[in-house]
Amino acid sequence: NQVNAAGEITTIKYYASDNYIMKIKGETTVEEFLNNIVSNNGEQLKIYDKEKEVGLAENIKTGMELRVGTSKTYILVVRGDINPDGKITPTDLSQLKKHNVGISKLEGEQLKAADINYNGEITALDVSQLKMLLVGLELPEVKTSTGNIIVTLDTTEAAKEVKLKIEVRENA
């Protein structure tokens, strides 16, 4: 399950597409993030926030940049971190809802952070899944096969059990 983005980096934990790295969980530190990225050509990896290098103990925020030496820059996208503070908060949920009903429009990395299930669309499912992240539930991995999406969540937390099963199938 290794991802190789443009020959510059390799990661198992995150997803790299175009100039973005996604699937980063809220409150991930720079150190934890860098421990899960490898430079394929040995160049140094550094994280920047608005042209300022970020320390290892700081949290990754949507919109920060991973610089691979001087050759490549990736924009970092924290899943659900729409208002780039590195956390999943009610403000993120509010911004997602406003986008979903057409009151405001998300773009770029904020739009990618709002696509919680990584299907390329912002829907009510993303709103529901962001609510789950907001209350501390883990989301399942999304697996696709010939147009079918099957998502299953089975979590036991503090003596209560939460089960979610979503099946989306193409009409024949």
Side-chain angles (χ1 to χ4, degrees), residues 16-172:
S17 174
D18 300 320
N19 290 325
Y20 295 95
I21 298 178
M22 299 175 283
K23 289 184 74 174
I24 304 169
K25 290 183 179 181
E27 301 188 40
T28 297
T29 64
V30 169
E31 182 174 29
E32 179 186 344
F33 176 78
L34 290 175
N35 284 338
N36 288 285
I37 301 279
V38 175
S39 170
N40 292 339
N41 55 13
E43 290 191 272
Q44 191 171 22
L45 303 174
K46 291 185 178 185
I47 304 294
Y48 284 83
D49 187 9
K50 299 179 177 76
E51 299 303 318
K52 179 182 174 234
E53 189 173 350
V54 178
L56 293 176
E58 291 187 51
N59 287 341
I60 298 288
K61 301 174 191 173
T62 294
M64 285 183 167
E65 296 178 346
L66 168 67
R67 295 186 186 169
V68 183
T70 58
S71 65
K72 182 75 175 169
T73 298
Y74 295 93
I75 298 170
L76 305 181
V77 178
V78 176
R79 186 183 206 179
D81 179 30
I82 299 164
N83 73 328
D85 63 359
K87 302 173 192 170
I88 311 303
T89 65
T91 302
D92 298 305
L93 181 59
S94 175
Q95 288 182 333
L96 177 55
K97 285 179 174 180
K98 286 179 181 178
H99 175 87
N100 198 39
V101 297
I103 294 172
S104 63
K105 184 177 180 180
L106 298 172
E107 296 178 339
E109 61 267 15
Q110 288 181 306
L111 184 63
K112 290 192 178 294
D115 186 10
I116 306 301
N117 61 1
Y118 307 114
N119 69 352
E121 300 176 24
I122 305 300
T123 65
L125 181 58
D126 295 298
V127 174
S128 296
Q129 289 183 329
L130 185 56
K131 287 178 183 178
M132 292 171 67
L133 289 174
L134 190 56
V135 297
L137 296 174
E138 290 287 325
L139 295 180
E141 290 295 317
V142 175
K143 298 179 181 179
T144 62
S145 173
T146 63
N148 296 332
I149 299 175
I150 299 171
V151 178
T152 305
L153 172 67
D154 188 355
T155 303
T156 302
E157 188 175 299
K160 61 182 175 180
E161 191 172 285
V162 176
K163 290 186 179 181
L164 170 68
K165 184 175 182 179
I166 300 169
E167 293 190 42
V168 179
R169 301 176 191 265
E170 290 185 68
N171 293 334

